[in-house]
Amino acid sequence: MPSLMTVAGKTIADPFTQLSEYARRYGGTLTKYDLGGSSDADVLTADEVTRTRTIASRISAAESAWFVERGRSAPWSEVPADANLGDADPAEPDGLYAAAIALYEHFRAAAPKGVATAKIHKVLHLKRPALIPILDSRLAAAYAAGAVRAAHHHEYLGARRLNWAAIREDLIDDGNAQVLVEMRARLAADEHTNVQMMAQLTDLRLLDAVAWRAI
């Protein structure tokens, strides 16, 4: 019997199929965006910003230069490179979740016209791939109900990044966590190279891929 996942309130009957099909269809995304190289965790490079164009960020040359310049004063050191959204409790006003928000807000608050939610998330996910989701209007809409629920539990956050809290609930769900362990093993054992590569991604990225395919 296929494993089940719950993503943004929707039951996904066969997440392995969603992940394997994603890998086969978007192999370029895996090789160029997700696994396209590494650099200093606390330095944002032009090459990294360019990689986001693989997932249709549409970041221009001028915007890329702004990201790099803004990145020089970003509070990277407050957010460990291996930080995990599952460990970022929104109930802790001075915890990891708040630090991640501060990192995001560093870019958002000064963003020029044309640089909004999706572009910032696609860039920052590369720097903190287990912590900051790839969030565009499609996934934000899917998680809107969860964000509203989160607002009632974490009033100190106001309206800031409550969709992260909703995504986190899916990430730490016991059933989903178990399925992700199973899926990672199956991905690694698959005969298709692109599918094998999926096993190298963070749980947050796997959740994102399932959501993108299924929602």
Side-chain angles (χ1 to χ4, degrees):
M1 179 178 178
S3 299
L4 302 177
M5 286 186 71
T6 300
V7 179
K10 181 177 181 179
T11 299
I12 311 301
D14 189 359
F16 180 78
T17 294
Q18 302 296 340
L19 290 171
S20 60
E21 289 182 355
Y22 184 99
R24 287 177 168 84
R25 183 171 182 178
Y26 300 109
T29 295
L30 300 178
T31 58
K32 297 175 184 178
Y33 176 73
D34 291 291
L35 305 172
S38 61
S39 66
D40 188 320
D42 294 344
V43 176
L44 178 61
T45 69
D47 285 345
E48 288 173 317
V49 179
T50 298
R51 281 163 57 187
T52 68
R53 294 173 184 163
T54 306
I55 55 172
S57 70
R58 299 181 178 86
I59 291 176
S60 68
E63 291 168 347
S64 176
W66 175 83
F67 267 108
V68 172
E69 178 59 30
R70 190 64 179 165
R72 293 193 175 103
S73 58
W76 303 111
S77 61
E78 300 300 315
V79 185
D82 60 351
N84 191 301
L85 183 59
D87 298 327
D89 188 349
E92 299 176 356
D94 298 318
L96 177 58
Y97 196 95
I101 288 175
L103 177 60
Y104 175 88
E105 288 294 322
H106 175 82
F107 289 88
R108 187 205 62 79
K113 183 178 180 180
V115 174
T117 298
K119 290 181 180 180
I120 298 172
H121 279 85
K122 288 174 180 179
V123 169
L124 292 186
H125 175 76
L126 281 179
K127 303 305 295 182
R128 300 295 186 269
L131 177 67
I132 298 179
I134 302 173
L135 190 71
D136 57 13
S137 58
R138 176 176 172 179
L139 289 184
Y143 277 101
V148 170
R149 289 194 298 273
H152 295 295
H153 298 291
H154 309 296
E155 294 181 1
Y156 84 93
L157 288 170
R160 301 178 304 166
R161 307 280 63 77
L162 289 172
N163 35 35
W164 294 7
I167 293 170
R168 179 178 181 269
E169 290 302 310
D170 283 348
L171 189 65
I172 65 175
D173 175 83
D174 288 343
N176 284 350
Q178 181 177 345
V179 171
L180 285 170
V181 171
E182 296 171 0
M183 294 304 100
R184 190 178 300 281
R186 290 181 64 184
L187 291 167
D190 197 89
E191 62 183 14
H192 196 288
T193 301
N194 286 1
V195 178
Q196 293 173 15
M197 285 192 293
M198 290 288 288
Q200 301 178 49
L201 306 186
T202 64
D203 283 354
L204 180 61
R205 183 68 172 99
L206 294 181
L207 183 70
D208 168 81
V210 171
W212 181 254
R213 289 283 303 172
I215 292 176

